[in-house]
Amino acid sequence: MSEQAFFWLDKAAENGSFAARYVRGGMYCEGLGCKKDIEKAEKDLQYVYSNCKMAKLASDAGVSLALLYKLEYNSPDYLRKAEVILKELAERGHPEAQYEYSCILCNKGDSNFIYWLDHRQHMMKTAPAHPRMMYHISVVFRFRGQSLEIPASY
């Protein structure tokens, strides 16, 4: 089934579909329906991130690209590339980028990671929070001795 899905996604991606190229990049990354190929995944995700005019799709591709850099390559140069992408997207309000960027800062020992956790908590009224971020926000607030009110919709 996934090989057939990959076949048609590949056709759509080659015919200009950014969404298909984004999904195909994820399939290359995981080896779903095709042989795992990190370089092809990077190429697809970078293309969508750099060229797609649909902000949500481009941002999601950017986060996926940064995570690929962070998890697959795991070298100082690629971690720096991931940090740059995630910071840019976090500043634009992308919730997963905010979470992942705060994790990078925390791992570096940079106390500014708390800003992104606090910042995300204050934005909860306008956009849904990333579930892992909500957990980390609650840990920071408990550490500070403060309570955290989570809207009933969560």
Side-chain angles (χ1 to χ4, degrees):
M1 178 74 167
S2 62
E3 290 168 358
Q4 189 176 21
F6 182 84
F7 174 82
W8 291 110
L9 277 169
D10 188 48
K11 295 272 188 209
E14 293 306 317
N15 283 304
S17 169
F18 285 108
R21 198 155 186 178
Y22 169 66
V23 173
R24 182 179 72 177
M27 292 179 83
Y28 275 131
C29 191
E30 299 292 327
L32 297 173
C34 61
K35 183 179 179 201
K36 183 174 179 171
D37 190 328
I38 298 304
E39 290 177 8
K40 287 182 180 179
E42 178 184 5
K43 183 179 175 185
D44 277 348
L45 295 172
Q46 180 65 57
Y47 184 84
V48 175
Y49 175 58
S50 299
N51 297 299
C52 185
K53 302 295 184 224
M54 294 178 284
K56 173 78 170 109
L57 183 57
S59 295
D60 288 349
V63 170
S64 294
L65 179 64
L67 292 175
L68 180 130
Y69 287 159
K70 185 176 158 186
L71 301 173
E72 293 292 336
Y73 290 111
N74 197 21
S75 72
D77 289 340
Y78 280 99
L79 288 175
R80 179 69 187 131
K81 286 181 179 184
E83 183 178 353
V84 168
I85 292 169
L86 291 170
K87 180 180 182 189
E88 175 190 331
L89 295 172
E91 288 171 345
R92 286 198 235 154
H94 193 285
E96 189 170 2
Q98 290 173 337
Y99 171 75
E100 295 294 343
Y101 182 59
S102 72
C103 289
I104 287 175
L105 294 178
C106 184
N107 289 336
K108 289 172 45 175
D110 185 333
S111 63
N112 287 323
F113 84 95
I114 294 173
Y115 166 80
W116 289 104
L117 296 178
D118 281 348
H119 179 73
R120 188 66 202 134
Q121 192 269 337
H122 293 298
M123 304 261 312
M124 281 174 36
K125 294 176 185 165
T126 59
H130 189 280
R132 290 178 296 177
M133 181 171 271
M134 291 306 303
Y135 168 76
H136 287 281
I137 290 170
S138 69
V139 169
V140 169
F141 274 70
R142 273 186 260 143
F143 177 76
R144 291 180 175 173
Q146 299 171 322
S147 63
L148 173 65
E149 293 182 28
I150 299 175
S153 61
Y154 290 96

